[in-house]
Amino acid sequence: MKKIAISFIIFLIFNSYSFALIKVDITRGNLDPLPIAVSPLHVDDKSENIKDLDVKNLGASISSIIEKNFKSTGLFNPLKKEAFVQKPDIAHLKPRFEDWRLIKAQALVTGKLSINENKLKVEFRLWDLTASKEMIALSFTTTPSNWRRVAHIISDKIYERLTGEDGYFDTRIIYVAESGPKDQRVKKLAIMDQDGSRTKYLTLGNELVLTPRFNPSNQMVTYLSYFRNLPRVYLLDIETGKQEVVGNFPGMTFAPRFSPDGKKIIMSFAKDGNSDIYTMDLETRIVERITDHSSIDTSPSYSPDGKYISFNSDRSGLQQIYVMKSDGSNVKRITFGNGIYGTPVWSPRGDLIAFTKMRKGKFYIGVMRSDGSGERLLTENFYQEAPSWSPNGRVLVFYRETKSGPDGKGFSAKLWSIDITGYNERKIQTETDASDPSWSSLLSK
Amino acid sequence: MIDKAKEEKALKESIENKKLTQSSVKNSFATGLTLSEEDALRAQIFGCWSVPLGLPYDENLLVKLKLELKKDGTILKSEIVDHQRMNMPGQKFYKILAESALRAVRLCQPLRVPPTGYEKWKNIQLNFDPTEMLKG
């Protein structure tokens, strides 16, 4: 009996080994951008003609914007259209997956559009080519003049489906457009789509404008302008063009910025010769002092939940970044590295703070966790500052000044973007020199 | 005079070597693949897996993918072990990772499997863990 029991146990042990599931850990992969084919959208032959719109080529124009958006992320590699073998209308109905796999595409975007009764209808599908299945299909109807926005919205939907993050393409950037020599600089408020298209100038340039900042949840902007040499804080509704003065503040006033709920603005100004941080309730116009210290406290920025404020201060000697509760209590220094730190901006995701660092004559844009740990310097240059987050917290836009002209005595200011991995640094095309960018929230949310 | 340091070093090396041998035997015995076979398979999948770079590095995003293979290494059946999690609210990133894992094995097939011992490796589980990649 004992023998049988032992044999049975041995059998069980060996049997379990023979059926043991092989497990292999995969901890590495490739970081190459995902190859994606964006087929030109098919244009319905019966589409109406629209004045000032090339309807025949509208499908190609929309797909071209989607491609540019994807390319700019560094996460996708849009494949060249010359390699495409299937016609757009057929591909949209039922792609021949093997044909698209042949050109090494892993995802495919197809679509079609029509214009009837002055309405543009666009539908698109995203296909997973390795699984031979549809991942998402949506359609939009709008006025034909909105075709660029449709391209951005489609880009956002695809980006979200493939990365799990919200997109940031249907957004705008407000900035200070600059022209003229450095000692007679004309500065206008300007706004454009995030890809640099459709620039509009919002002020005439008669007065100096500084530090425009979007409300994180809508299309309101606050900015600073000097009127008869006195700083004024303005509110501007981008949709209606309506503008109002929030208040005149004494002395040097800096960088007004909205609270996450858009009900307050936070800024610094000098009272009795000392800069501290204040908030203003936009409804009651009550001003509240947040810091009260003999040092210079500037550049406040709320955490996305509104519970904390980051700011820079020279209270420890050199300018460093601090975090405090939103009522001004519990002030903690979070930067201890070599150099001077400034312009902290809290990520919309809440996990990181972007900043500008100055050290040994160089300027760096970097990110760190909100407790100051994990500092990463993303980009270095002669002069650059003012980072602003994309609404999904993945990309930063900032401005950089470079020497220009044959003798290097001139200078040029341009907008640049970089993602939080430190890769994919790109210049954003603007009609003029540009500084102080601020990225809007998603227009379609 | 005995060089104690050398002796200790030799002892340490001997222990390390034994550990290595034991682990190699254990691996082969327990998984049905030798270390070199496992390495070859892993290297093949590394090349096919496009890690979704937008994923957060501080979330538990391990994806376990069970495969049933044919003798030639092509995939007969694939199944995400925790497939219910893919459609749960707030699990977008898990879904994206699971889809990328599925894409990787489909792109890679036929998988590099040994010519013999089919019964041992016809069922295999791949654990996709992007944490190290995402931390950078």
Side-chain angles (χ1 to χ4, degrees):
Chain A
M1 188 64 191
K2 201 177 170 186
K3 265 187 185 174
I4 293 171
I6 291 168
S7 308
F8 183 66
I9 290 165
I10 292 170
F11 169 79
L12 276 181
I13 291 166
F14 277 87
N15 204 34
S16 69
Y17 273 125
S18 67
F19 287 95
L21 183 65
I22 296 174
K23 292 178 183 174
V24 180
D25 293 334
I26 309 296
T27 54
R28 282 196 287 138
N30 68 67
L31 298 174
D32 299 335
L34 187 84
I36 186 166
V38 184
S39 176
L41 275 63
H42 171 68
V43 182
D44 188 340
D45 296 338
K46 291 173 195 152
S47 292
E48 293 165 4
N49 280 323
I50 301 284
K51 200 184 165 202
D52 298 329
L53 194 62
D54 182 1
V55 175
K56 205 175 145 194
N57 290 312
L58 197 55
S61 302
I62 289 176
S63 75
S64 167
I65 289 174
I66 297 170
E67 276 184 330
K68 277 186 198 155
N69 283 339
F70 287 167
K71 184 101 185 152
S72 73
T73 65
L75 302 179
F76 303 101
N77 173 25
L79 300 172
K80 286 186 177 156
K81 288 193 166 58
E82 295 81 55
F84 297 178
V85 285
Q86 206 174 8
K87 282 187 174 175
D89 50 341
I90 313 290
H92 186 57
L93 279 176
K94 176 76 181 159
R96 279 194 308 274
F97 296 110
E98 59 277 20
D99 284 358
W100 294 99
R101 283 196 291 260
L102 264 183
I103 61 166
K104 307 285 182 204
Q106 291 189 31
L108 167 69
V109 180
T110 63
K112 68 173 186 181
L113 67 88
S114 59
I115 300 178
N116 289 306
E117 295 172 358
N118 204 30
K119 290 276 177 206
L120 167 67
K121 187 181 176 199
V122 181
E123 63 176 58
F124 79 94
R125 291 194 174 104
L126 172 67
W127 305 88
D128 182 336
L129 295 170
T130 56
S132 305
K133 69 171 190 186
E134 185 185 285
M135 296 178 86
I136 184 175
L138 287 170
S139 79
F140 305 96
T141 304
T142 182
T143 52
S145 59
N146 265 344
W147 68 272
R148 274 188 166 272
R149 274 202 64 199
V150 170
H152 292 313
I153 291 168
I154 293 174
S155 305
D156 282 327
K157 298 292 176 195
I158 296 169
Y159 181 90
E160 190 179 337
R161 184 63 189 83
L162 289 174
T163 66
E165 292 182 308
D166 286 343
Y168 56 91
F169 304 113
D170 186 26
T171 56
R172 295 186 283 197
I173 293 172
I174 194 162
Y175 63 96
V176 176
E178 300 189 13
S179 54
K182 199 161 189 173
D183 53 349
Q184 284 180 305
R185 208 68 167 156
V186 175
K187 293 190 174 191
K188 297 178 192 173
L189 211 53
I191 191 165
M192 63 183 180
D193 289 355
Q194 53 77 30
D195 61 357
S197 65
R198 297 200 308 164
T199 301
K200 262 199 268 181
Y201 296 94
L202 304 170
T203 59
L204 297 170
N206 301 334
E207 283 133 21
L208 187 69
V209 289
L210 293 167
T211 62
R213 300 281 182 255
F214 265 110
N215 183 322
S217 53
N218 62 31
Q219 298 300 308
M220 290 289 284
V221 167
T222 179
Y223 69 96
L224 198 65
S225 182
Y226 277 80
F227 180 70
R228 291 183 187 150
N229 287 331
L230 278 176
R232 272 181 170 179
V233 175
Y234 286 82
L235 278 183
L236 170 66
D237 186 331
I238 298 292
E239 297 303 323
T240 62
K242 198 178 150 198
Q243 182 167 274
E244 62 175 306
V245 178
V246 173
N248 295 307
F249 297 95
M252 291 294 284
T253 304
F254 294 107
R257 198 183 278 278
F258 284 97
S259 60
D261 61 8
K263 290 182 178 168
K264 285 181 189 173
I265 51 170
I266 188 165
M267 68 196 124
S268 66
F269 56 78
K271 204 173 174 186
D272 307 324
N274 179 46
S275 275
D276 274 305
I277 291 166
Y278 296 80
T279 57
M280 177 191 249
D281 186 303
L282 289 173
E283 202 179 321
T284 62
R285 303 287 157 115
I286 292 173
V287 175
E288 190 185 349
R289 187 174 195 147
I290 304 296
T291 63
D292 189 357
H293 198 278
S294 56
S295 62
I296 300 169
D297 298 340
T298 55
S299 300
S301 163
Y302 275 102
S303 62
D305 61 6
K307 289 180 180 167
Y308 298 93
I309 295 163
S310 64
F311 64 103
N312 51 241
S313 173
D314 64 353
R315 57 184 67 192
S316 61
L318 282 180
Q319 185 180 292
Q320 298 287 337
I321 294 174
Y322 293 77
V323 168
M324 61 186 169
K325 285 190 177 168
S326 57
D327 61 2
S329 66
N330 213 12
V331 179
K332 277 185 193 161
R333 179 176 165 183
I334 62 163
T335 54
F336 296 90
N338 293 326
I340 296 169
Y341 291 79
T343 69
V345 197
W346 223 301
S347 153
R349 291 207 285 216
D351 54 346
L352 297 171
I353 290 175
F355 57 89
T356 309
K357 179 175 180 172
M358 293 141 272
R359 187 168 179 251
K360 291 185 177 173
K362 294 258 171 143
F363 280 71
Y364 303 84
I365 302 290
V367 291
M368 61 190 166
R369 294 192 196 100
S370 54
D371 62 359
S373 65
E375 175 180 317
R376 282 187 289 130
L377 300 177
L378 305 177
T379 170
E380 166 199 318
N381 214 277
F382 152 72
Y383 184 83
Q384 55 190 5
E385 66 166 341
S388 171
W389 289 95
S390 63
N392 68 352
R394 180 168 180 79
V395 185
L396 288 162
V397 62
F398 58 96
Y399 82 97
R400 173 179 289 167
E401 285 183 11
T402 47
K403 289 175 186 169
S404 67
D407 53 0
K409 284 184 181 166
F411 86 105
S412 163
K414 295 288 176 193
L415 303 187
W416 290 74
S417 69
I418 192 159
D419 70 31
I420 53 170
T421 61
Y423 292 107
N424 201 29
E425 185 175 279
R426 283 167 189 272
K427 192 186 210 175
I428 298 174
Q429 291 303 325
T430 46
E431 290 175 359
T432 61
D433 272 11
S435 63
D436 263 341
S438 174
W439 211 318
S440 80
S441 57
L442 276 171
L443 292 163
S444 46
K445 271 218 159 172
Chain B
M1 205 166 145
I2 299 166
D3 187 340
K4 271 272 181 197
K6 267 188 186 172
E7 199 177 48
E8 276 172 17
K9 195 181 165 200
L11 182 68
K12 205 178 161 190
E13 276 175 3
S14 153
I15 291 167
E16 289 296 318
N17 287 340
K18 268 186 193 158
K19 263 192 202 164
L20 195 68
T21 318
Q22 279 168 358
S23 121
S24 158
V25 168
K26 188 182 160 204
N27 187 74
S28 159
F29 186 61
T31 71
L33 291 181
T34 64
L35 275 182
S36 59
E37 285 165 349
E38 195 178 307
D39 283 346
L41 178 64
R42 197 180 275 126
Q44 186 192 12
I45 294 172
F46 286 170
C48 298
W49 184 31
S50 294
V51 182
L53 293 175
L55 300 181
Y57 59 84
D58 51 357
E59 278 186 33
N60 171 27
L61 289 174
L62 176 72
V63 165
K64 295 173 181 173
L65 173 60
K66 268 187 185 172
L67 299 174
E68 190 180 332
L69 301 173
K70 291 185 193 169
K71 278 186 176 171
D72 64 356
T74 52
I75 296 160
L76 200 59
K77 224 164 89 180
S78 57
E79 185 199 351
I80 300 291
V81 174
D82 192 1
H83 66 271
Q84 283 173 330
R85 188 176 162 192
M86 285 177 78
N87 297 317
M88 283 180 186
Q91 293 297 325
K92 271 194 297 190
F93 293 124
Y94 181 81
K95 183 177 181 176
I96 299 297
L97 181 64
E99 286 174 344
S100 77
L102 284 166
R103 268 200 296 276
V105 293
R106 285 181 189 129
L107 273 176
C108 257
Q109 64 173 330
L111 299 185
R112 270 180 220 151
V113 284
T116 56
Y118 175 60
E119 286 304 318
K120 286 184 199 167
W121 53 254
K122 76 171 179 184
N123 291 301
I124 189 166
Q125 179 175 305
L126 303 177
N127 299 329
F128 287 81
D129 183 358
T131 316
E132 289 305 313
M133 296 285 289
L134 296 171
K135 273 184 182 169

